[in-house]
Structure formats: structure tokens, C-alpha cells
Amino acid sequence: MKILVVDDDQDIVELLSIYIRNEGYEPIAATSGTAALSELEQHPDIDLIILDIMMPDISGIEVMKQVRATSQVPIIIVSAKTSDIDKIQGLISGADDYVVKPFNPLEVMARIKSLLRRIHAGDADIPDKLNIGPITINKSSHEVLTESGQKVQLTALEFGILYLLASHPNQVFSADEIFERVWKQESVISAKTVMVHVSHLRDKLEEATHGEKVIETVWGVGYKVEA
């Protein structure tokens, strides 16, 4: 698997590349936003991107927006920006996870493995296709289609949340349960992270289905999809 590491700090790029290589993945390095987009053109089969936000030419947010126009490859932001607003902006712009600098490279690797494991994991007990209201969810292709055949562009985590809820209709999942089952990590202050992803997911679904509500909020408890 190929992992693109994008940061204008060469030391960070080299450090993460060492850990990535030691885990059996292939690191691809870029020290600017322009270089990152060039590498993505040359390597369309990249499996995951680690992306800094603050770069001198093109910001990480802009790189992410361009990537999301054509790809749902998982993206982990690694940034010195620590405020909740910065984190929310990163998630809304299309990131699947957000790690604050300075970081422990072992934590970054754990998050990489979690994202890749969740994307490639299967569930033999659930049908390949799920029909929920106005949408069809295809597990094997990671696609969500409306009744008219329009494809709904979702990030990897948004798809994971929708698939979890849709595969357990009428069951309410708390933010902590969603975090633990989709992120594959123990829940740590996860409610706000889940809320942002669910909100963005809802907006995309309602836009694609002309306002039909797919995900219900059970106030004070969590979220569900009705059968």
C-alpha cells in the first residue's frame, strides 16, 4: 500500500516515512502542496494521505478540496493548529482524522492502520447492498447512490458511519459507540468529532435526495436510520 506524506518540514516527512516503511507500506514524500498534487497525478493508486495544513504554496485545505473533487482516499491531517475550529474546518473540508503536532509517530501509525483496516474490512453477515429510503449503499464498491443513480461523494469515515447505521436499522448508536465501531479506537472525547461527521454526512445526503431525511437524531441518546 502507498501512503503519501505531505509536510513542508523535511524532518517530519523523513520521520513518518521511516515508520511507514517499517510497517511494510510504501511512503511517497512531498514537501509542498504543489508537489503533493503532482505525486497524486503520478500515483493514482495511493491508499492514504497524511497532510499538513500550513504550507508555503498551496494550503493543505486547498489540496484536500482538490483531492475530494475526484477521490475519496482517506486523509489524515497532521497540523500544529490545535483549536476546535481548526479541527472542525479540517473535518468539514474532507479529512477523515486530525492529529495535532507535536505527535507521537506511533499514534499516527495506529490511526493509519485503523483507517486502512476499516476500509478493507468486510462483514459477511450483512448484504453487499443495502436499500434505505431513497439511497442504495454498496459495501464492496464503497458507493452510495440515489434512486436516480446519482453518486453521493462521501469520505471514508462518512461512508463508515452511514453503513453502520444502515446495517442496523432502527438501532440507536451513541456518539461513543459510533466512534469505537467506525474509527476502531477506544472513545476519547469523541462526541464532537462524530457530530461534525454526521452533520456533514446529513448535508450531503439531503442535498442528493432533495431534502429527504435519512439519519434521525434521538436527542440525548444518539443517531439511527429507520427501516
Side-chain angles (χ1 to χ4, degrees):
M1 291 187 179
K2 298 178 180 178
I3 298 177
L4 177 62
V5 183
V6 187
D7 199 301
D8 61 343
D9 187 327
Q10 185 67 41
D11 291 339
I12 289 178
V13 171
E14 292 177 358
L15 175 66
L16 288 175
S17 294
I18 289 171
Y19 277 82
I20 288 168
R21 191 175 293 108
N22 286 343
E23 290 293 335
Y25 305 124
E26 178 185 347
I28 298 174
T31 55
S32 70
T34 302
L37 294 173
S38 176
E39 292 291 351
L40 284 164
E41 287 185 4
Q42 296 178 50
H43 303 279
D45 57 341
I46 282 173
D47 295 283
L48 186 142
I49 301 172
I50 300 174
L51 182 63
D52 185 24
I53 289 180
M54 295 183 290
M55 290 182 290
D57 56 347
I58 304 175
S59 74
I61 295 295
E62 181 57 35
V63 169
M64 189 158 47
K65 288 179 179 179
Q66 292 191 40
V67 170
R68 282 289 174 257
T70 59
S71 172
Q72 298 308 308
V73 61
I75 298 175
I76 299 176
I77 287 178
V78 177
S79 175
K81 292 189 172 185
T82 61
S83 73
D84 286 345
I85 293 176
D86 291 322
K87 294 176 185 178
I88 290 170
Q89 179 61 43
L91 295 172
I92 288 176
S93 298
D96 296 288
D97 205 347
Y98 195 110
V99 178
V100 175
K101 296 179 181 177
F103 57 82
N104 183 331
L106 292 175
E107 178 190 358
V108 177
M109 290 310 306
R111 300 201 184 200
I112 288 172
K113 291 178 182 178
S114 175
L115 267 176
L116 293 176
R117 182 172 62 247
R118 181 183 48 74
I119 289 168
H120 295 288
D123 191 338
D125 296 328
I126 300 175
D128 191 63
K129 289 186 179 181
L130 299 172
N131 294 306
I132 299 293
I135 62 171
T136 298
I137 305 165
N138 191 315
K139 179 179 68 173
S140 61
S141 65
H142 271 247
E143 288 184 332
V144 177
L145 302 174
T146 65
E147 292 174 319
S148 64
Q150 176 188 348
K151 185 176 179 179
V152 186
Q153 294 286 349
L154 301 180
T155 68
L157 286 176
E158 288 165 357
F159 182 91
I161 293 170
L162 179 60
Y163 186 76
L164 171 65
L165 297 178
S167 60
H168 299 82
N170 302 319
Q171 181 175 340
V172 180
F173 288 87
S174 69
D176 285 344
E177 289 172 326
I178 292 173
F179 190 88
E180 290 174 358
R181 296 185 66 161
V182 175
W183 274 254
K184 304 292 184 185
Q185 299 175 30
E186 185 176 348
S187 176
V188 180
I189 56 172
S190 60
K192 187 174 294 184
T193 298
V194 172
M195 180 183 67
V196 170
H197 280 82
V198 170
S199 176
H200 207 207
L201 170 60
R202 267 199 181 121
D203 290 344
K204 291 181 179 181
L205 293 174
E206 291 185 10
E207 180 179 359
T209 61
H210 306 289
E212 292 197 44
K213 186 174 290 187
V214 176
I215 298 175
E216 301 282 345
T217 298
V218 180
W219 294 107
V221 183
Y223 307 94
K224 70 174 182 176
V225 164
E226 292 189 353

